[in-house]
Amino acid sequence: MLDLQRLRALHAVSVHGTVGAAAAALGFTPSAVSQQIAKLERETRTVLLEREGRGVRLTDEAWQLVDAAAELLAIVERAETRLEERRGVPSGRLTIAAFASAARGLLPSILADLAVRHPALDARLTEVDPHLSVDLVAKGAVDLVVAHDWDIAPLPAPGGVEQAPIGEDLCDLLVPEGHRLAGRTAVRRAELGGERWICQPPGRVCHDWLMRTLRGAGHEPDIVHQADENPTLVALVAAGLGVALIPRLGRGPLPAGVVEVPLDPMPVRRLYALWRTGAARRPAIAETVRTLRAHWPTVAARDTPAPQAVGSA
């Protein structure tokens, strides 16, 4: 008989692409995941993983087992949902994936609140890029996702995935102190031509939004510096190396030398919670989504900047 935990390990490798990433998602060591798959190979007398460069490739036989594993894991999820629903309280393990600024600025208070009010719930957070997280929840790799989209780039939800809005995160133009726009109360997008931009790398939602927005205003963006994390982008602005468009969530206080200027209209990114339709009745999902939405007004108010004079910290 095939062991469910070994099938889960193989399924995780198929979703995350590497043994190391699968191990991180499952909360195991890479060695433990490799051992599980090696045992599955011995039990099935089938080669499931083949070396490919520095990574691995699933064989055709492995993909057949992955399909079966997905069906079995879905059955297990439905059974666990029914049991939790009968108990009527959030319980068991709940894996949550969130993008970086939500993991920093929103989820800590959510997880702390859930831990106090629902001690039987074991909520666990993983930081994941938003363009990857929706696929992870659709494939059953995580239970709940906090993702975002922008006003000109809606978030697609695949079949079998439900979503609920959490709130709207406003974004501001950050410029170095002494910049030509630093004293303005508002700047229109048509005025942004000729700037040296600092932003996230291509393929990220924020990067794609900036490219579309500036090109729509008739400007070809001159991107001079790229970095993954918003604090790095802010530090580059503080050094006088360019301007950046940074959301407020998780941004924290701005350092000396950085001035916040509102854009008109102000860019907005929308936050969503997403989960699989089959788990919609699970109390842990419902309560976590409710808590996310209940906390958002406080988080948004906390991240709203106080009025500051040009040149202040």
Side-chain angles (χ1 to χ4, degrees):
M1 181 175 293
L2 297 175
D3 183 274
L4 183 61
Q5 287 301 108
R6 293 165 194 166
L7 289 172
R8 189 188 300 272
L10 181 65
H11 181 265
V13 173
S14 74
V15 171
H16 296 281
T18 67
V19 171
L26 294 172
F28 300 148
T29 65
S31 176
V33 171
S34 295
Q35 290 175 18
Q36 291 284 347
I37 294 176
K39 291 178 180 178
L40 186 59
E41 287 182 323
R42 289 196 295 271
E43 289 173 351
T44 59
R45 290 175 288 183
T46 304
V47 176
L48 302 176
L49 296 183
E50 294 179 341
R51 287 287 179 185
E52 188 172 67
R54 295 185 177 180
V56 294
R57 181 183 67 83
L58 274 69
T59 64
D60 292 341
E61 293 79 7
W63 283 111
Q64 292 181 8
L65 282 180
V66 166
D67 290 341
E71 294 179 15
L72 290 172
L73 292 173
I75 292 170
V76 171
E77 180 180 61
R78 289 195 295 271
E80 292 173 342
T81 296
R82 293 191 189 101
L83 288 174
E84 187 179 327
E85 190 177 17
R86 286 180 64 86
R87 289 192 292 266
V89 296
S91 60
R93 179 176 294 190
L94 180 75
T95 54
I96 304 172
F99 59 96
S101 54
R104 180 172 60 250
L106 176 61
L107 267 300
S109 62
I110 302 298
L111 296 173
D113 186 6
L114 291 172
V116 170
R117 293 188 296 109
H118 302 291
L121 178 62
D122 180 15
R124 303 190 177 196
L125 172 65
T126 300
E127 184 179 306
V128 178
D129 291 332
H131 67 286
L132 299 175
S133 59
V134 176
D135 190 46
L136 292 181
V137 75
K139 292 181 177 179
V142 297
D143 299 313
L144 184 71
V145 159
V146 177
H148 70 78
D149 67 10
W150 291 76
D151 44 9
I152 64 171
L155 177 71
V161 174
E162 298 181 25
Q163 66 181 35
I166 297 172
E168 294 185 343
D169 185 22
L170 303 180
C171 306
D172 301 290
L173 178 68
L174 302 187
V175 303
E177 188 175 19
H179 187 274
R180 67 181 180 91
L181 301 175
R184 299 280 296 276
T185 57
V187 174
R188 298 192 65 81
R189 298 175 187 183
E191 301 178 73
L192 297 176
E195 294 297 336
R196 292 167 61 83
W197 286 93
I198 302 166
C199 74
Q200 292 183 335
R204 304 299 175 85
V205 178
C206 296
H207 180 281
D208 296 344
W209 184 93
L210 180 66
M211 299 296 288
R212 291 189 194 184
T213 299
L214 293 185
R215 286 173 176 168
H219 307 303
E220 183 61 29
D222 180 15
I223 298 176
V224 294
H225 301 293
Q226 301 177 36
D228 284 320
E229 295 292 334
N230 285 343
T232 306
L233 303 179
V234 173
L236 292 168
V237 174
L241 299 174
V243 304
L245 186 71
I246 308 291
R248 293 177 179 177
L249 176 63
R251 190 173 69 196
L254 295 177
V258 177
V259 177
E260 185 176 68
V261 183
L263 284 180
D264 180 23
M266 183 169 284
V268 174
R269 65 175 183 175
R270 299 164 297 201
L271 274 65
Y272 297 91
L274 300 100
W275 61 92
R276 288 179 300 284
T277 300
R281 299 195 315 272
R282 185 180 174 189
I285 297 287
E287 178 61 12
T288 302
V289 173
R290 189 200 68 78
T291 304
L292 284 163
R293 301 180 75 176
H295 275 244
W296 179 254
T298 301
V299 171
R302 181 198 65 202
D303 290 334
T304 299
Q308 65 174 25
V310 175
S312 69

